[in-house]
Amino acid sequence: MSKIAVVTGACGYIGREIVKNLIANDYFVYCVDLENAFLNKDFLKLKIQNNSKNIAVDLSKNKSLEIIKSVIGADEKIDLLVNNAAYYGDINGFDTNFKGETVEAWEQVIKVNLIAPFFLVQTLHSNLMQSKIASIINIGTMYTQIGPNPDLYESTNMNNPGSYTASKSGLLGITRWLSTILSPSIRVNMISPGGVYRGQEDIFVKRYIERVPLNKFCREEDVSNLVLFLASKESSYITGQNFLLDGGFTSW
């Protein structure tokens, strides 16, 4: 029988690479994302219907957890849960500078990036306990370790929201907390990527690359390959760890 995985934010850049890689390695994947996200052309190109099932929910809504559980079922074994979803909406006060951030944006970001992952683990705990190789992998950011350098963003239209860093820092704390609470049956780790190229402004790209010892951006494949390793028996003695996938950015 194939291994079973649940991946949130499955239709995004990193999410769909994780899904593709898991399916290529004998996983059946429950893909969790917003309803409209499943219309993403790049996601549809994966043609993974025979090895996956879509679950359309908004993780900022409490009822989303009940829907996920009802689709998967109480008796379904889950070997891997990847909490990859992150809030990137257009709510006022999110993609802005320090003075522009709002309470409403913070509340939405915290719901999706921190509260939902914790309670999804709680909801699917009995399913994970049915696996002999159960693993939870949370996707974070290198900014749980360092503060943003304002020089990178000067004269650009880019921002680095405090709400995002706060939510992912909280997720790192929960990663470590869960790793002891759920041990020895379930391993819990975090992957914290550095910058991933998304067509950013040239001036930002130049500045960023100059600060990376490996002189390149993180790739979606880098994340998905590490997901596979942390889900495998080869990493069976690893739990409670935060893997900085940043090309050495935080090593200076």
Side-chain angles (χ1 to χ4, degrees):
M1 180 180 179
S2 298
K3 292 165 285 187
I4 309 296
V6 177
V7 178
T8 67
C11 300
Y13 291 98
I14 291 176
R16 58 180 178 258
E17 185 62 34
I18 292 173
V19 170
K20 182 178 73 173
N21 212 359
L22 288 173
I23 288 175
N25 285 270
D26 197 34
Y27 277 87
F28 180 91
V29 181
Y30 287 98
C31 299
V32 179
D33 214 318
L34 295 167
E35 184 173 3
N36 289 339
F38 288 108
L39 301 177
N40 182 303
K41 292 181 180 179
D42 290 316
F43 181 79
L44 293 173
K45 286 179 183 177
L46 296 181
K47 297 180 179 178
I48 56 175
Q49 288 82 359
N50 292 334
N51 298 291
S52 68
K53 186 177 182 64
N54 297 343
I55 305 178
V57 293
D58 180 348
L59 288 172
S60 69
K61 310 297 183 184
N62 292 339
K63 65 179 182 180
S64 66
L65 303 180
E66 298 175 11
I67 295 171
I68 293 170
K69 182 74 170 186
S70 65
V71 171
I72 295 173
D75 299 324
E76 176 79 281
K77 169 182 69 74
I78 294 175
D79 302 294
L80 173 65
L81 168 61
V82 183
N83 284 309
N84 169 65
Y87 182 81
Y88 278 107
D90 57 1
I91 189 172
N92 179 51
F94 173 63
D95 186 17
T96 184
N97 58 26
F98 166 62
K99 291 186 177 181
E101 295 202 37
T102 64
V103 172
E104 291 77 17
W106 269 69
E107 289 175 342
Q108 191 74 357
V109 173
I110 295 296
K111 282 180 181 178
V112 175
N113 296 8
L114 179 57
I115 295 176
F118 178 86
F119 285 101
L120 184 55
V121 172
Q122 186 189 75
T123 299
L124 299 180
H125 178 250
S126 61
N127 303 85
L128 288 158
M129 287 296 292
Q130 295 181 49
S131 171
K132 295 180 180 179
I133 57 168
S135 179
I136 297 168
I137 301 171
N138 298 320
I139 306 300
T141 172
M142 69 177 181
Y143 286 115
T144 59
Q145 304 298 308
I146 58 172
N149 185 336
D151 291 344
L152 283 174
Y153 303 94
E154 185 178 352
S155 302
T156 75
N157 294 318
M158 300 174 62
N159 297 290
N160 191 304
S163 58
Y164 186 85
T165 293
S167 66
K168 293 299 186 178
S169 296
L171 188 59
L172 175 56
I174 288 300
T175 297
R176 290 170 173 152
W177 187 88
L178 287 170
S179 72
T180 62
I181 296 298
L182 302 183
S183 65
S185 301
I186 303 172
R187 296 185 299 112
V188 189
N189 291 289
M190 176 175 264
I191 298 173
S192 293
V196 180
Y197 183 70
R198 295 279 189 267
Q200 295 95 330
E201 297 173 52
D202 290 343
I203 189 172
F204 173 83
V205 171
K206 182 178 183 297
R207 290 169 179 169
Y208 184 84
I209 292 297
E210 288 174 348
R211 288 166 170 78
V212 180
L214 292 185
N215 296 121
K216 58 184 179 180
F217 281 88
C218 178
R219 305 174 306 156
E220 290 84 0
E221 295 92 333
D222 297 322
V223 180
S224 67
N225 288 338
L226 188 49
V227 166
L228 278 176
F229 171 70
L230 291 175
S232 72
K233 63 181 181 181
E234 284 77 13
S235 65
S236 61
Y237 199 59
I238 299 174
T239 196
Q241 302 305 305
N242 181 29
F243 290 84
L244 287 162
L245 204 56
D246 63 1
F249 189 101
T250 58
S251 299
W252 292 111

